[in-house]
Amino acid sequence: MNKLAESLGRALKARGALLATAESCTGGWAAQAVTAIAGSSDWFERGFVTYSNAAKQELLGVRRETLERHGAVSEETAREMAVGALARSRATLAVSITGVAGPGGGSAAKPVGTVCFAWASARGRLRSETRHFDGDREAVRRQSVEHALAGVIAELASVPDVPN
């Protein structure tokens, strides 16, 4: 994961971009991964760990209606988390992660390993997706962090107008 975080750091720094993370099921692992890289203060702005629904609402502005209608593990919630992280930071890019890491907590509609992501930019670009990962709790969380960080790199590569 260090090589991925180092690549992310180089890409963010080259673009003059700042990253914020909004995490639920990963409990701050994405923020830990990026801050493990020396010099990350040049490109990492802050991280939000919003494990409870109340924290998602209070810290990121996720609407109660969104949580009631779609649940915490939904692309709708992930998008509001990412947008909220941008609004409550100086970041120019944000990534959010919310999911069911297991071993319990899954359902037929959202089995263990279901994780929703969103990537948002200060210029208004917003993308989300849902993935399903196999393995135990740690494996689901690790894959989620790797996917989230790789998604930030992909956003930087695909969007020429990420703000400086």
Side-chain angles (χ1 to χ4, degrees):
M1 194 167 320
N2 274 357
K3 288 184 189 250
L4 179 61
E6 287 172 353
S7 294
L8 172 62
R10 283 191 301 274
L12 287 162
K13 190 170 181 177
R15 300 290 289 277
L18 289 174
L19 178 66
T21 58
E23 302 180 66
S24 186
C25 66
T26 50
W29 195 343
Q32 187 280 328
V34 298
T35 59
I37 306 306
S40 58
S41 60
D42 290 339
W43 47 270
F44 183 70
E45 212 280 320
R46 71 183 71 184
F48 298 88
V49 178
T50 56
Y51 207 73
S52 71
N53 285 353
K56 288 173 182 67
Q57 292 173 354
E58 293 166 14
L59 296 177
L60 298 172
V62 174
R63 295 176 302 136
R64 178 180 303 162
E65 298 79 20
T66 302
L67 292 164
E68 289 172 355
R69 181 175 291 137
H70 303 285
V73 180
S74 66
E75 289 186 36
E76 291 83 0
T77 295
R79 286 192 297 267
E80 289 188 21
M81 289 171 66
V83 169
L86 279 179
R88 290 160 173 79
S89 71
R90 293 179 200 90
T92 55
L93 286 169
V95 60
S96 66
I97 309 166
T98 183
V100 184
S107 67
K110 297 174 186 176
V112 169
T114 302
V115 184
C116 300
F117 302 88
W119 297 268
S121 79
R123 294 263 174 100
R125 182 170 162 86
L126 180 61
R127 180 175 69 86
S128 62
E129 66 182 41
T130 300
R131 296 289 303 264
H132 299 278
F133 299 113
D134 293 324
D136 63 11
R137 182 176 180 82
E138 183 174 349
V140 168
R141 295 173 76 220
R142 174 179 297 282
Q143 292 170 86
S144 297
V145 171
E146 290 170 349
H147 185 73
L149 299 183
V152 175
I153 293 170
E155 283 297 301
L156 287 166
S158 69
V159 182
D161 64 346
V162 171
N164 293 340

